[in-house]
Amino acid sequence: MFKLQKSTIFVLKCLFVLFALSIVFYGVMEFAFPQFMQKPVLLDFDAFHLTGKMISEGKLADAYNSEMFKLQQHHLPGAGEGVLYWSYPPPYNLLAAALGSLPIWLSYALFISVSLGLYVTVARALAGRDFFLAIIPLITIFPLIIRSGQNGFLTGALIGLTCLLILRKSSFAGVPLGMMVLKPHLAVGVAAWSLLNRKWRMVASAAVTVFILCLLTTAVFGFDVWFWFFSAIETTQLSLREGAFPLFRMSSVFAFGLSIGMDLQSAILLHVLGVVTAICALVVLLRSVASPRVGLGASVFVSALLSPYSYDYDLAMLGIAACLLGPLFIALASELEKSVLVAVSWMLGFYGLSISFLKSSGFLLEVDQPISITGPGLFIIGAMVFRILYTARLQENRTNHLVGSDWV
């Protein structure tokens, strides 16, 4: 397991590149020729581009109004029973405005290509020669992100760049962390690591970055954008509770609870218990593991477990955790643990992709709500990762070549 010849790895890399390019090409064709390609549903990138166009028309307030945003979607290719919502933090509108200024097919091609390229570049810098082995368990997440046109590669790259700059002791490590104001819930773990390790310069630069982005946002869109945003958050949460969102695509134990029939309060309690468990495990690791690389990897992983509203396309950040922790996991995990890790990881990606395909093809009705399995799957992986990292602390002499200064 994980012992592949160089020639095999080279072939797999080529196949992966061709596969990724083919999905990007298909997406470009679908946006460029929706009637010919028979585009079946609205994709997340439709929301990005539509909001950008509404910004150019001075209608950003309507984007944050769910009813007005629905009306704007009716003329889009693929519009049907599915509905898109806009509740991104106001700084994200700066990016949306840029995306909406180009034809949608070109905007999609540039956004996915640039964000994927940045993600791979950062991940390779973190993992070195172990990059491909570290990414193997996350391969099935890539088609989800490319197909939907989501921002998982962008957020993953920002988190990865933060970790890379930390390991290189750069004064600018807080800048990409501050840019995570685009999706702040995904940065909680790394932010907690910086606080627990008293990285005050990093914390200050992150805070300054957030302040500058928020100030720029307010200058461009006006102070009212913040009221529109908080109002949209309330509407989105209400829609989630009413079953308007695809729970099977969500990656939290909160979504799992709702999908198996739990009432709202019970699902929230289940999620809180999971979050408390994850945070306690992280604190134990951070107090016992000296290596910044290991602590950062654990913090990135825990960040993916915290939000009740996270989706499977946000899991690209786990590739960053894998690049940080991969050598240690490969060295200490049993063959069974390695097999379980790959099997569960692949299942999580294939599950959301296959259910989405069945729904868009008409084999499943939109009213059908399959069980959300990603949240429990992540905790299974997390339990294995915790065992490996805690074992590494107990076997410090054996793993010194991995967790010592050379590995960092």
Side-chain angles (χ1 to χ4, degrees):
M1 186 71 177
F2 290 100
K3 295 179 180 179
L4 302 175
Q5 295 182 353
K6 290 184 178 180
S7 59
T8 303
I9 293 178
F10 177 75
V11 171
L12 290 175
K13 285 180 180 178
C14 292
L15 290 175
F16 170 70
V17 171
L18 289 174
F19 181 56
L21 289 176
S22 66
I23 300 176
V24 173
F25 178 74
Y26 183 87
V28 170
M29 293 294 291
E30 195 172 45
F31 280 118
F33 307 103
Q35 285 74 28
F36 176 76
M37 299 294 292
Q38 297 182 339
K39 186 169 179 282
V41 295
L42 292 176
L43 300 173
D44 293 307
F45 194 80
D46 283 302
F48 297 166
H49 193 264
L50 176 59
T51 301
K53 291 181 65 177
M54 294 176 70
I55 289 173
S56 67
E57 298 168 357
K59 298 179 180 178
L60 180 56
D62 290 344
Y64 280 111
N65 184 305
S66 60
E67 293 301 322
M68 297 300 295
F69 201 47
K70 289 177 188 177
L71 292 176
Q72 294 289 331
Q73 296 168 33
H74 288 325
H75 69 281
L76 297 179
E81 296 183 12
V83 176
L84 300 173
Y85 293 83
W86 189 255
S87 54
Y88 278 87
Y92 199 93
N93 294 306
L94 298 171
L95 175 60
L99 295 175
S101 64
L102 299 171
I104 189 169
W105 65 269
L106 179 58
S107 182
Y108 166 84
L110 289 174
F111 179 67
I112 289 297
S113 300
V114 172
S115 60
L116 176 57
L118 180 61
Y119 177 84
V120 170
T121 300
V122 171
R124 282 179 60 87
L126 283 170
R129 63 173 182 262
D130 296 314
F131 164 71
F132 193 73
L133 293 179
I135 289 296
I136 282 178
L138 278 302
I139 287 294
T140 57
I141 301 297
F142 281 57
L144 278 170
I145 301 172
I146 297 173
R147 182 73 183 90
S148 63
Q150 256 293 346
N151 49 37
F153 294 133
L154 175 61
T155 54
L158 290 175
I159 287 293
L161 185 57
T162 300
C163 295
L164 183 63
L165 293 176
I166 289 172
L167 295 177
R168 292 181 176 179
K169 296 179 171 58
S170 171
S171 301
F172 298 100
V175 174
L177 181 63
M179 293 176 68
M180 282 298 293
V181 70
L182 302 176
K183 274 195 171 180
H185 60 280
L186 298 179
V188 172
V190 177
W193 179 92
S194 65
L195 291 171
L196 290 173
N197 286 276
R198 301 184 179 126
K199 303 294 184 180
W200 305 125
R201 180 180 296 182
M202 175 181 166
V203 172
S205 61
V208 169
T209 302
V210 171
F211 177 77
I212 291 174
L213 286 174
C214 292
L215 189 65
L216 179 60
T217 299
T218 305
V220 173
F221 302 113
F223 193 77
D224 287 343
V225 69
W226 298 97
F227 293 104
W228 304 336
F229 164 65
F230 288 115
S231 177
I233 286 291
E234 293 180 4
T235 302
T236 301
Q237 291 177 347
L238 179 61
S239 299
L240 172 63
R241 295 168 186 173
E242 294 176 347
F245 284 74
L247 295 176
F248 70 92
R249 291 287 309 277
M250 301 183 73
S251 58
S252 66
V253 290
F254 169 71
F256 166 73
L258 290 181
S259 70
I260 63 173
M262 283 187 174
D263 58 70
L264 181 63
Q265 289 73 21
S266 298
I268 291 176
L269 177 60
L270 178 66
H271 185 80
V272 170
L273 290 175
V275 167
V276 171
T277 301
I279 292 176
C280 289
L282 178 62
V283 171
V284 169
L285 288 176
L286 293 182
R287 285 182 174 275
S288 60
V289 177
S291 168
R293 189 180 183 100
V294 174
L296 284 170
S299 299
V300 172
F301 186 92
V302 168
S303 291
L305 307 177
L306 301 182
S307 173
Y309 306 115
S310 56
Y311 274 79
D312 49 13
Y313 49 70
D314 292 322
L315 299 182
M317 63 188 301
L318 294 185
I320 302 301
C323 289
L324 290 164
L325 303 175
L328 194 62
F329 192 89
I330 293 171
L332 293 180
S334 66
E335 293 300 312
L336 176 60
E337 286 173 319
K338 294 174 185 176
S339 299
V340 170
L341 172 70
V342 173
V344 173
S345 300
W346 283 5
M347 178 185 66
L348 299 184
F350 276 126
Y351 184 75
L353 198 63
S354 59
I355 296 297
S356 296
F357 173 77
L358 292 174
K359 280 181 171 287
S360 63
S361 302
F363 292 102
L364 285 176
L365 300 177
E366 285 296 326
V367 294
D368 294 333
Q369 285 285 15
I371 293 175
S372 173
I373 66 171
T374 307
L378 289 177
F379 272 88
I380 291 174
I381 296 173
M384 290 192 298
V385 171
F386 178 82
R387 191 202 75 79
I388 295 300
L389 297 184
Y390 198 72
T391 299
R393 183 187 74 89
L394 299 177
Q395 301 178 3
E396 184 174 355
N397 292 333
R398 173 185 167 189
T399 60
N400 188 57
H401 65 291
L402 288 175
V403 299
S405 59
D406 292 339
W407 191 52
V408 171

